[in-house]
Amino acid sequence: ITYFNKFYHMNLLLDCYQKAGKIAAEVREGARKKCHIGSTLFQICESIESEIRKRGAAPAFPVNVSLNDIAAHYTAEPDDNIAVNDTDVLKIDIGVHVQGYIADTAVTVCYDPKYDTLVRSAEVALSEAIRVAKANMKASDIGRVIETTISKQGFRPIQNLSGHSLEQYTIHAGRSIPNIWTIGSSFNLAPNQAYAIEPFVTTKDGQGVVHEGKIRNIFGITSRKPTKDKEVDEFLADVWNRFKTLPFALRWLLDKYEEKKARQYIEILIKRRNVHAYPILVEGNRKIVAQAEHTFIPSDSFIDIITL
């Protein structure tokens, strides 16, 4: 019976991952093909998140729409009026979950040919990394492939951003797959465990490191400890019931709360350390960044790239 339960659980888990991956891939390719010039970041986020929900899944985190030197963690504010122009490099990072099992994928879109090789570099590095990845391989060896591929094309990897393991309702589940070759301790990829590989690439004159910016508009619950403020505790319980430990955006709360009130509750919960606010991540020399990402599950005999 124990073996049967384990087998049933594994099949359910893989089925959820594959459904999430198929939806994430469809939505990503739709975003890749669409012309976003003139669209606001709010419109892009809302449109992509709507596409995920239409397909019977849910966003695993607010769609990241990071422009130019912002590498990651920007999502649209309510009625965000920042519009994409024809010189922008836009990274669209999409997470989809089915019963908490997450597929994480990203694409960079731009309309200025001078950045084509930068965007291509991230895509090629991802392809090479996925090509060599297998169960029991050292994560540092994947990092070496990513760094070598990017360097050969005349660009720099972002060394303090990495891929990651995924668990149910947990996007960053404790294991990191580096984008550079790291000397020293590493870990081996476990069979039947989900991982995301995501090369971030900048120009040769970039610092190759990201720093935290001032904007923080993605949030996640880190503690459910009561605050002893009835309204705030009810808000916390509601957010937990809706998103668990997954990141959320203020935009997602305005179906039930006034914007001013929701901001106030979030600020209180951040101060009490119930909620973490994720800062945007900006390239150290303010140089352009491109990104590409897939989620995959290695087994003993092959790897299943669920977001292909």
Side-chain angles (χ1 to χ4, degrees):
I1 288 169
T2 308
Y3 174 78
F4 176 78
N5 284 347
K6 190 175 176 185
F7 182 74
Y8 174 79
H9 175 73
M10 182 57 69
N11 274 352
L12 176 69
L13 176 151
L14 290 173
D15 187 48
C16 289
Y17 272 126
Q18 279 158 356
K19 280 180 186 166
K22 183 175 186 292
I23 291 166
E26 285 175 4
V27 174
R28 181 199 64 230
E29 289 310 300
R32 187 200 299 270
K33 289 168 188 163
K34 196 170 180 181
C35 178
H36 299 285
I37 297 169
S39 296
T40 66
L41 298 183
F42 177 82
Q43 288 169 333
I44 295 166
C45 287
E46 291 282 304
S47 167
I48 291 171
E49 289 161 6
S50 170
E51 287 295 328
I52 292 167
R53 294 185 184 107
K54 270 187 212 165
R55 289 166 165 78
F61 51 81
V63 169
N64 284 207
V65 280
S66 304
L67 285 172
N68 303 323
D69 59 336
I70 301 172
H73 293 178
Y74 187 92
T75 197
E77 289 284 354
D79 301 317
D80 199 318
N81 63 7
I82 297 170
V84 177
N85 68 49
D86 58 4
T87 59
D88 283 331
V89 174
L90 172 65
K91 293 155 291 293
I92 303 175
D93 196 341
I94 298 165
V96 174
H97 83 89
V98 173
Q99 295 182 43
Y101 296 101
I102 300 162
D104 191 358
T105 189
V107 65
T108 301
V109 293
C110 72
Y111 310 97
D112 187 336
K114 78 176 181 184
Y115 298 118
D116 285 353
T117 52
L118 179 72
V119 173
R120 178 79 185 137
S121 177
E123 298 279 359
V124 172
L126 176 62
S127 296
E128 287 300 300
I130 289 286
R131 189 176 63 79
V132 301
K134 55 183 184 285
N136 303 310
M137 181 180 190
K138 273 193 183 302
S140 57
D141 289 338
I142 295 174
R144 190 207 294 251
V145 169
I146 291 170
E147 182 174 23
T148 302
T149 305
I150 291 168
S151 299
K152 274 184 184 170
Q153 295 174 88
F155 298 105
R156 295 186 78 164
I158 302 290
Q159 64 188 57
N160 61 337
L161 288 176
S162 61
H164 47 91
S165 55
L166 298 128
E167 297 279 2
Q168 190 179 24
Y169 290 108
T170 308
I171 293 160
H172 290 261
R175 297 289 202 180
S176 294
I177 299 177
N179 287 324
I180 57 168
W181 185 44
T182 51
I183 299 166
S185 65
S186 183
F187 73 96
N188 294 352
L189 301 188
N192 304 313
Q193 163 74 54
Y195 298 97
I197 291 178
E198 52 179 326
F200 286 85
V201 184
T202 191
T203 53
K204 199 75 175 169
D205 54 352
Q207 201 176 89
V209 173
V210 290
H211 303 288
E212 293 184 356
K214 288 179 181 171
I215 297 167
R216 295 167 187 256
N217 56 15
I218 297 175
F219 311 98
I221 292 176
T222 51
S223 166
R224 295 169 69 197
K225 187 178 176 183
T227 66
K228 297 178 182 168
D229 178 322
K230 185 170 177 288
E231 276 190 15
V232 175
D233 288 341
E234 284 173 358
F235 175 81
L236 179 60
D238 179 45
V239 174
W240 171 263
N241 288 336
R242 292 167 78 174
F243 311 121
K244 304 289 188 284
T245 50
L246 294 174
F248 63 92
L250 183 65
R251 290 182 287 109
W252 292 1
L253 305 176
L254 303 188
D255 57 338
K256 287 181 76 170
Y257 303 94
E258 288 180 2
E259 184 178 333
K260 189 178 174 184
K261 206 69 171 163
R263 282 191 193 277
Q264 187 184 331
Y265 291 152
I266 289 170
E267 283 306 315
I268 291 166
L269 290 168
I270 290 168
K271 282 185 181 127
R272 290 182 175 270
R273 300 194 176 175
N274 291 80
V275 164
H276 174 69
Y278 296 85
I280 60 166
L281 301 172
V282 184
E283 207 288 318
N285 284 348
R286 306 304 300 258
K287 299 300 178 185
I288 300 288
V289 178
Q291 173 198 15
E293 181 178 21
H294 275 312
T295 298
F296 71 100
I297 302 171
S299 70
D300 289 321
S301 52
F302 71 103
I303 75 161
D304 182 4
I305 308 160
I306 66 170
T307 53
L308 200 57

